[in-house]
């Protein structure tokens, strides 16, 4: 853990996603890709956290969702039994998250701020997840240090992100933002995508070790997203704090 931690978020990235708050829960809106992949992400994480081998029984494990936005993944994990805290620096998105959770009858502790704010308060969790977040942060090393500081020894950190490859540039940047219009233009900066090798090395320096990795790819219209060995575009990784 670094003695002095720099801010892990940039105002431009916060404003970008805060502006989408009202449309976040529209499954056909600008967050449609996240809606589509959310069952896979939550199910994959639950299987690696599950007590007794049942991914639908997380036994009240404390889980922090960093960069939670309007709460797609937070709600998914809460429905599986986790005790979820959602953290984001975008106030409009959090307002939507709180309203939607209340309407869904879910108890989720949503907080405005950044990881370093929780560290200062002494918060620690059984698991931490940051899904489609690390490719937007200002300082990956500081961000990983923060996630490691927020998880208890023996706990797990889960990240999903985009690989920096020619295929990801073609499909996740040009295809998704400009050709198919699945995402608003400017959602991603391909240069900020991170390879699994880079992520693994940076995680080790933060005291985390990779224990599982899987690619994520969209299936047919009725199939949803599925796990795959191919990590060339989207992937999800489990890290353990020893």
């Amino acid at each position: 853990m670094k003695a002095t931690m720099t801010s892990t978020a940039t105002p431009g990235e916060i404003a970008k996603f805060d502006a989408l708050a009202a449309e976040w829960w529209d499954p056909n809106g600008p967050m449609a890709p996240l809606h589509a992949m959310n069952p896979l992400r939550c199910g994959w994480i639950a299987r690696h956290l599950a007590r007794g081998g049942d991914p639908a029984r997380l036994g009240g494990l404390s889980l922090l969702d960093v960069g939670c936005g309007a709460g797609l993944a937070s709600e998914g994990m809460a429905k599986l039994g986790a005790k979820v805290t959602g953290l984001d620096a975008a106030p409009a998105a959090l307002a939507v998250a709180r309203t939607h959770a209340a309407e869904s009858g879910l108890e989720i502790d949503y907080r405005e701020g950044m990881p370093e704010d929780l560290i200062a308060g002494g918060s620690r969790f059984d698991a931490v997840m940051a899904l489609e977040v690390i490719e937007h942060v200002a300082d990956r090393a500081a961000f990983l240090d923060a996630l490691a500081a927020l998880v208890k020894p023996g706990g797990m950190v889960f990240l999903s992100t985009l690989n920096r490859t020619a295929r990801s540039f073609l499909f996740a940047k040009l295809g998704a933002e400009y050709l198919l219009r699945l995402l608003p233009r400017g959602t991603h900066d391909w240069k900020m995508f991170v390879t699994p090798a880079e992520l693994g090395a940076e995680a080790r320096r933060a005291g985390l070790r990779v224990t599982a990795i899987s690619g994520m790819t969209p299936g047919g219209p009725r199939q949803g997203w599925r796990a795959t060995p191919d990590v060339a575009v989207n992937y999800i990784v489990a890290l353990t704090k020893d």
Side-chain angles (χ1 to χ4, degrees):
M1 181 63 193
K2 293 179 180 178
T4 301
M5 181 166 295
T6 59
S7 175
T8 54
T10 60
E13 292 297 300
I14 295 168
K16 180 194 302 181
F17 290 99
D18 213 24
L20 298 170
E23 302 175 274
W24 209 291
W25 279 97
D26 179 0
N28 299 310
M31 294 301 177
L34 294 187
H35 281 268
M37 72 169 62
N38 201 49
L40 169 60
R41 299 185 308 180
C42 291
W44 195 90
I45 291 168
R47 283 191 295 276
H48 286 83
L49 281 178
R51 291 174 172 170
D54 183 354
R57 297 181 62 185
L58 296 185
L61 286 169
S62 61
L63 173 66
L64 174 65
D65 183 8
V66 176
C68 64
L72 287 180
S74 291
E75 290 201 11
M77 298 307 296
K79 289 175 181 177
L80 292 172
K83 182 180 179 181
V84 179
T85 298
L87 178 71
D88 206 289
L94 284 175
V96 171
R98 293 185 180 108
T99 298
H100 197 276
E103 292 173 347
S104 302
L106 296 171
E107 293 187 12
I108 299 173
D109 180 12
Y110 285 113
R111 304 186 192 182
E112 183 179 345
M114 291 180 282
E116 47 267 39
D117 299 321
L118 293 187
I119 293 168
S123 297
R124 299 295 181 270
F125 300 86
D126 295 315
V128 175
M129 64 182 187
L131 309 181
E132 277 65 52
V133 174
I134 198 166
E135 69 271 20
H136 299 284
V137 302
D139 184 334
R140 282 205 308 264
F143 185 68
L144 288 166
D145 278 343
L147 300 187
L150 285 165
V151 71
K152 298 174 184 177
M156 300 187 76
V157 173
F158 297 91
L159 304 170
S160 60
T161 189
L162 289 144
N163 200 346
R164 194 176 64 257
T165 62
R167 277 176 58 194
S168 71
F169 183 77
L170 178 62
F171 291 106
K173 182 63 181 176
L174 293 182
E177 295 184 23
Y178 291 88
L179 299 178
L180 300 177
R181 306 282 180 90
L182 297 175
L183 295 169
R185 291 185 179 183
T187 297
H188 292 117
D189 179 350
W190 180 81
K191 295 187 297 295
M192 294 181 71
F193 290 4
V194 54
T195 70
E198 290 169 340
L199 185 56
E202 291 166 359
R204 284 194 298 274
R205 287 192 285 272
L208 302 166
R209 95 186 133 81
V210 175
T211 50
I213 186 170
S214 176
M216 300 188 295
T217 187
R222 298 181 182 178
Q223 294 175 313
W225 283 60
R226 59 185 175 84
T228 172
D230 184 0
V231 299
V233 184
N234 296 84
Y235 67 98
I236 187 167
V237 60
L239 308 165
T240 298
K241 180 177 179 178
D242 294 321

